[in-house]
Amino acid sequence: MDTLPALMDGFAAALSPHNLLFALIGCILGTILGLLPGIGSTAGMAILIPLTMAMDPAGAIIMLAAIFYGGAYGGTITSVLLNIPGEGESAITAIDGCEMTKRGRAGVALTTAGIGSFIGGTTATIGLVVAAEPLARLGLRVGPPEFFSLVLIGLALLVGLVGRSVLKGMISAAIGLLIAMVGIDPVAGLPRFTFGQAHFFDGISYIPVLVGIFGLGELLASAGGASARPKAPSLRELIPSRADFRRSAPTIARGTAIGGIIGLIPGVSSAISSLLAYSAERKISKHGKEFGKGAIEGVAAPETANNAHSNASFVPLFTLGIPASPAIAVLMGAFLQNGLTPGPRLFVEAPDLVWTVIASLFVGNLLLLVLNVPLVGVWTRILAIPYSVLRAIIFAFIVIGSYAVNNSVIDIYVMVFFGVVGFVFRQVNVPVAPLVLTLILGPFIESALRESLQISQGDFGIFLDRPLSLVFLIIAAAILLASILGAGLKRRAELPVDAEV
Amino acid sequence: MQPSTHESPPSTPPPGSERTAEARRRGRSRLSAIVAAIIACVGVTTIVGSLPLGYWTALGPGPGFFPLWLGILLAMLGVAWAVTEVRSWRAGVSSRPASAEEEPPEYSLPTAAAIVASLVILAACLEVLGYQLSMLFFLLFHLLVLGKRGLLLSAVIAVTGSFGVFMVFTLLLGVPLPASSIPLLRGVGL
C-alpha cells in the first residue's frame, strides 16, 4: 500500500466523530490522572485500559494514545507549578519550570512546553510515517535468534540505564518473565505455574498486573501525602514574548532531533532523552548560565525531547514488535488484549488499523495543544478536589476495571497482590520498568529462544553463528558490562532513578 | 505579572529529622534483605516447579527449559542482593549513601494497610453482597473514615459510585457487574 493514500485513509478514520470523541475523552482523563502526584502517563494508561475494553481496537488504541499524551501533559503541569514531577521524564522540567513559576512565568513555561511537545511529537510522527513501512519490511526478515538478541539489547539498556543498581534491574526483569510464564506453555500445551486454578490457564492478565504495580502501588506509596494546591496562571500570562520564542525555537529543534533519534533505540526511556536534551542545551545555549534559575530553554528542551521520544518509540514497536518504554509496553498490552500483535506483520495483517493509529498520533498531538494549554486553569482546579475523594474514586475504578477483564474476582486479588508488590519495590528501590517490559514481551522472548533452539536442534551456537545476532549479543553484553562498571559514574552523572521512567 | 504562590511539595522532610531518617534507612535496609530472601525463595520454588515440566523434548527445549534457567537466575540474584544488604547492615551503614532524590516518597503504613485490607474485603464481598452494597460500604469507609469527609458529600459520592455506576455499566455499557448471591438481596435488585 502506498504511504500517502494509506495515511489519508487513516486520517479519515481517526477524524471520524466517534474516534475524535475517544481521543478527546482520553486527553481529558489522561490530563486529570497525570495531575495526581506520582501518577504519570504509564500509570494513567494502566488505570484506564479497562475503560477501553468494550471498544473496537482502533478506538481503544486511539483513546489510550490520547491518555498517554494527556498524562504526560498533566505531569508537566505539576512539575512546573508544584515542583512535583509526575514521572521521570518531567523531573528535569521541574528544575527550571518551577523557577519560572516563582518568577510569575508559569504560563509561559506551560505554553512553551505544550508547543515544544507538539512540534517534537509531530516531527517524530512524520518520521514514523516515512520510515515505518520500509523498516517493517526489513523487520519481517528478522528471525527468532535475531529477535531474541535484539530484545536482550533492549533489556540490557533498560536494566543498565534505569535505577542505580543493575542487580535490582535484572531482578525486576526476571520477575516480569516469571509472571509471563504462568499459563499454558506455548509449545507443548502444558499448564505451568497455574496453582491448579483454571483461571490462570490463559496466563495472568496484563491489566490487573499493570494496574496493581503502577496504579495501586503508586497510590499506596503516596498514601500519607496530601496534595498541594497550585495557583493557575491567567490566560494573559500564557502568551510567550517574542524573546521567549526566539530563545526557545532553536532549543525545540535540537530537542526534536535528540528525542527523535534516542526514541528509536529500544529500551531507552524518554527520561534519558529529556536529560540529554537538557544537558546538551546547557552546554550549547548562550544562556547556559541561567539554567537552574528559570531559563526557558530548560523547559523547552526536555519537554520537546520527551514527546519526540515517545512518538519515535512507535517505530521499534511497529517495525520489530519491541516496546521501547514502559508506557509503550502498556500500549502493546492493549494491542495484545485486542488480539493484535504489534510488529512488522501488523502492516500486512491490519494496515488500516496501523495507519489510523499513526494518524491519531497527529490528531492527539494537536488536541493536546489546543485543548490543554488554554485550559490550564481548569486542570489546576482539579487539584482543589480533596485527594482522599479522588483516591476513593480511583480505587472504585481500578476494582471495576480489574474485575471487568474476565468478569472474575480473582483478577481483583491479582491486582491487589501486585499493588503490594509495586509498593514494596518502590520502598526498596527496585525499578518496575524492566518488569513491565518483560511481562509483555515474555511469551515472545521465550518463543524466540525455543524456536531458535529448535532450528539449531539444541545448539546454542545459533546465536553466535548468525552475524546479526552475534553483533546484537556483543552490544547487549557491552552495555550490561559498561552499566556494571559505570555504576559509580552514573551516580555522579545524576541520571534519573525514578522507577517509572 | 504576579508571582504565583504555591505550597511547598509534601515530600520535603521536616528539619532536624536526621535520626528518624537514619532509622527509616535502617528499616528499609532490613526490608531489602527480607525482599531479597523472598526473591531467592521464589527462584528456588521456580526451579523445583519447573523440573516435572520436562526440560527437553524431541522437538527441542521443553516447557520446563525456560522456567528452570529463570529460576536459577532469580535465585542467584536474590542471594547476591541479600548478601550485599546483610553485609552493609552488619557494617552499620545503609547499602548506599541515600541522596534526597533516591528516597521513596513518604507513606503512612496504617493508611496503606487499611487500603489493602479494604480492597481485599471488597473483593471478598463482591459476589456475596453484590457490587452495589459492597461498593457503597467501601466508598463510605474511604470517604468518612480514611478521608474524614463530611457525611453529605460522602453519601452522594458513595451512592453515585455504587448504584449509579452499576446502572451505567449494566444498562449503558453492557458490562455486567456482580449481583448478590443471597436470594433475598438479589430479589430486591442488589
Side-chain angles (χ1 to χ4, degrees):
Chain A
M1 200 189 286
D2 285 327
T3 302
L4 204 60
L7 181 66
M8 286 303 135
D9 288 346
F11 266 113
L15 290 171
S16 69
H18 73 282
N19 280 341
L20 209 54
L21 183 71
F22 290 150
L24 193 69
I25 296 172
C27 256
I28 293 170
L29 290 177
T31 310
I32 293 173
L33 276 177
L35 282 169
L36 300 179
I39 296 190
S41 42
T42 314
M45 277 199 293
I47 291 172
L48 295 173
I49 278 189
L51 200 70
T52 63
M53 280 185 316
M55 297 178 181
D56 62 308
I61 286 152
I62 286 174
M63 185 154 149
L64 281 168
I67 292 169
F68 180 39
Y69 294 128
Y73 188 69
T76 306
I77 295 177
T78 52
S79 295
V80 170
L81 296 183
L82 296 170
N83 200 13
I84 305 172
E87 49 190 311
E89 60 180 27
S90 28
I92 293 130
T93 314
I95 304 171
D96 279 277
C98 196
E99 283 302 317
M100 286 181 76
T101 302
K102 285 181 189 159
R103 278 151 224 244
R105 285 169 48 76
V108 176
L110 288 172
T111 307
T112 309
I115 295 173
S117 296
F118 171 73
I119 295 173
T122 307
T123 312
T125 311
I126 293 172
L128 172 66
V129 169
V130 176
E133 216 175 358
L135 280 175
R137 247 174 269 138
L138 278 179
L140 280 173
R141 293 196 203 144
V142 169
E146 287 81 14
F147 180 84
F148 180 75
S149 309
L150 192 61
V151 171
L152 285 189
I153 294 188
L155 281 177
L157 277 168
L158 195 67
V159 165
L161 292 175
V162 176
R164 296 215 169 130
S165 161
V166 176
L167 181 85
K168 290 179 188 174
M170 283 172 74
I171 288 176
S172 175
I175 290 180
L177 279 176
L178 188 63
I179 304 167
M181 290 296 96
V182 175
I184 300 278
D185 147 61
V187 180
L190 272 176
R192 291 191 300 193
F193 306 113
T194 52
F195 311 102
Q197 287 270 357
H199 180 81
F200 291 130
F201 279 13
D202 285 338
I204 296 182
S205 315
Y206 310 119
I207 293 167
V209 179
L210 294 173
V211 171
I213 286 197
F214 280 107
L216 183 58
E218 192 57 57
L219 290 165
L220 289 176
S222 58
S227 55
R229 304 274 172 82
K231 187 175 171 288
S234 73
L235 207 56
R236 213 184 42 195
E237 287 172 339
L238 289 171
I239 303 162
S241 67
R242 197 173 285 181
D244 289 328
F245 273 122
R246 242 196 333 265
R247 278 177 61 172
S248 47
T251 306
I252 288 174
R254 285 189 286 263
T256 303
I258 291 174
I261 292 166
I262 306 286
L264 296 176
I265 308 169
V268 180
S269 72
S270 57
I272 306 292
S273 280
S274 298
L275 185 85
L276 276 177
Y278 184 84
S279 33
E281 209 54 39
R282 192 163 54 183
K283 287 200 186 93
I284 297 170
S285 168
K286 275 184 281 181
H287 307 276
K289 282 194 183 127
E290 283 175 42
F291 273 62
K293 298 184 193 112
I296 193 158
E297 292 90 345
V299 172
E303 285 301 312
T304 307
N306 70 39
N307 211 31
H309 182 112
S310 302
N311 286 277
S313 58
F314 279 94
V315 174
L317 180 73
F318 283 147
T319 56
L320 295 165
I322 297 176
S325 67
I328 301 285
V330 172
L331 207 60
M332 180 164 169
F335 271 92
L336 295 171
Q337 193 75 33
N338 278 299
L340 299 157
T341 307
R345 281 179 208 286
L346 206 57
F347 275 98
V348 186
E349 286 164 7
D352 297 350
L353 178 92
V354 176
W355 288 108
T356 306
V357 172
I358 292 177
S360 84
L361 298 180
F362 287 105
V363 178
N365 268 306
L366 189 65
L367 268 180
L368 174 86
L369 186 70
V370 297
L371 182 79
N372 284 3
V373 176
L375 290 182
V376 63
V378 178
W379 302 124
T380 48
R381 227 161 285 154
I382 287 168
L383 285 171
I385 300 173
Y387 188 47
S388 53
V389 173
L390 281 174
R391 202 173 59 188
I393 296 170
I394 294 176
F395 284 143
F397 202 87
I398 59 180
V399 167
I400 299 173
S402 305
Y403 175 84
V405 178
N406 293 312
N407 287 336
S408 161
V409 176
I410 295 175
D411 283 331
I412 303 178
Y413 291 120
V414 169
M415 184 270 289
V416 176
F417 175 78
F418 283 102
V420 175
V421 170
F423 169 67
V424 173
F425 274 18
R426 280 172 176 82
Q427 301 311 316
V428 295
N429 289 321
V430 172
V432 287
L435 187 153
V436 174
L437 222 62
T438 49
L439 169 73
I440 306 278
L441 279 179
F444 300 97
I445 297 174
E446 189 188 2
S447 306
L449 178 66
R450 284 169 71 174
E451 278 166 24
S452 306
L453 290 176
Q454 279 174 8
I455 297 169
S456 71
Q457 291 172 331
D459 182 10
F460 280 89
I462 187 169
F463 296 105
L464 307 175
D465 293 342
R466 311 209 356 176
L468 200 56
S469 165
L470 178 67
V471 171
F472 289 160
L473 278 184
I474 292 172
I475 295 174
I479 293 167
L480 212 54
L481 208 64
S483 324
I484 295 170
L485 296 176
L489 246 165
K490 209 163 59 173
R491 215 167 291 162
R492 279 199 292 277
E494 289 177 10
L495 275 177
V497 291
D498 187 30
E500 244 196 78
V501 287
Chain B
M1 273 184 263
Q2 287 292 314
S4 309
T5 50
H6 61 95
E7 291 175 26
S8 61
S11 58
T12 317
S17 60
E18 268 173 40
R19 237 187 103 203
T20 47
E22 180 53 38
R24 212 179 308 129
R25 260 202 297 280
R26 274 168 181 268
R28 208 156 268 153
S29 178
R30 204 167 303 149
L31 181 64
S32 297
I34 296 169
V35 173
I38 294 174
I39 283 167
C41 291
V42 170
V44 173
T45 315
T46 310
I47 296 171
V48 174
S50 68
L51 292 177
L53 293 172
Y55 181 75
W56 209 265
T57 64
L59 285 170
F65 173 84
F66 204 68
L68 177 71
W69 287 106
L70 193 63
I72 292 172
L73 178 72
L74 209 51
M76 277 172 19
L77 291 170
V79 169
W81 185 18
V83 168
T84 22
E85 284 300 335
V86 170
R87 204 182 277 167
S88 64
W89 190 10
R90 282 209 180 134
V93 285
S94 81
S95 54
R96 268 164 281 105
S99 62
E101 59 165 333
E102 200 163 340
E103 282 293 300
E106 290 289 308
Y107 68 95
S108 136
L109 194 59
T111 314
I115 293 170
V116 172
S118 69
L119 285 167
V120 172
I121 294 170
L122 172 66
C125 293
L126 218 48
E127 285 179 340
V128 181
L129 294 179
Y131 168 83
Q132 296 168 88
L133 279 186
S134 316
M135 187 55 85
L136 181 74
F137 293 135
F138 176 82
L139 286 174
L140 283 177
F141 169 72
H142 272 269
L143 295 165
L144 286 175
V145 183
L146 288 186
K148 298 188 179 68
R149 295 289 126 204
L151 189 63
L152 184 69
L153 176 78
S154 303
V156 170
I157 295 174
V159 169
T160 316
S162 51
F163 297 97
V165 166
F166 186 84
M167 298 285 268
V168 171
F169 270 75
T170 44
L171 296 181
L172 288 181
L173 298 175
V175 178
L177 291 173
S180 173
S181 55
I182 301 169
L184 186 72
L185 292 177
R186 196 185 264 273
V188 291
L190 291 170

